[in-house]
Amino acid sequence: MWYAIMAEDVPNSLEKRLANRSAHLARLQVLQDAGRLLLAGPFPAIDSTDPGPAGFTGSLIVAEFASLTEATTWANNDPFVISNTYLNVTVKPFRKSLP
């Protein structure tokens, strides 16, 4: 089943994001290579695809896992969680309807 992982960053998270980005992306790449990643990306802090020093306010990942427990465990082991880049992470089942 698909699961939405919605994360909210701590204030002024850009430095932490940059320090942990490669490890975070490596985990996402494993999901993508396995055909289990529907989408992933950050929420820019301003109305721009490249917010520069304004940074980001969180992230959204939609990926396939065997259970909510597995999705939550995966999310809680993300480098952005471990480094306290994320303030809050919510994991919910997701049903893709369109497209």
Side-chain angles (χ1 to χ4, degrees):
M1 178 168 197
W2 294 111
Y3 292 88
I5 300 168
M6 299 158 287
E8 178 186 357
D9 283 17
V10 298
N12 304 309
S13 64
L14 186 57
E15 192 172 310
K16 286 183 178 184
R17 273 185 166 270
L18 294 175
N20 294 283
R21 185 172 187 264
S22 62
H24 170 76
L25 292 177
R27 294 179 84 236
L28 292 171
Q29 188 64 54
V30 171
L31 290 176
Q32 183 172 337
D33 291 348
R36 296 175 45 207
L37 184 64
L38 184 62
L39 64 91
F43 299 117
I46 60 174
D47 191 12
S48 174
T49 57
D50 182 5
F56 301 91
T57 62
S59 299
L60 171 64
I61 299 165
V62 179
E64 187 177 33
F65 293 94
S67 67
L68 179 59
T69 300
E70 184 183 314
T72 301
T73 298
W74 185 91
N76 288 338
N77 285 296
D78 191 278
F80 284 173
V81 171
I82 294 165
S83 67
N84 296 313
T85 303
Y86 288 156
L87 174 67
N88 182 6
V89 177
T90 302
V91 181
K92 293 183 177 186
F94 178 80
R95 190 184 81 187
K96 183 180 183 287
S97 295
L98 294 170

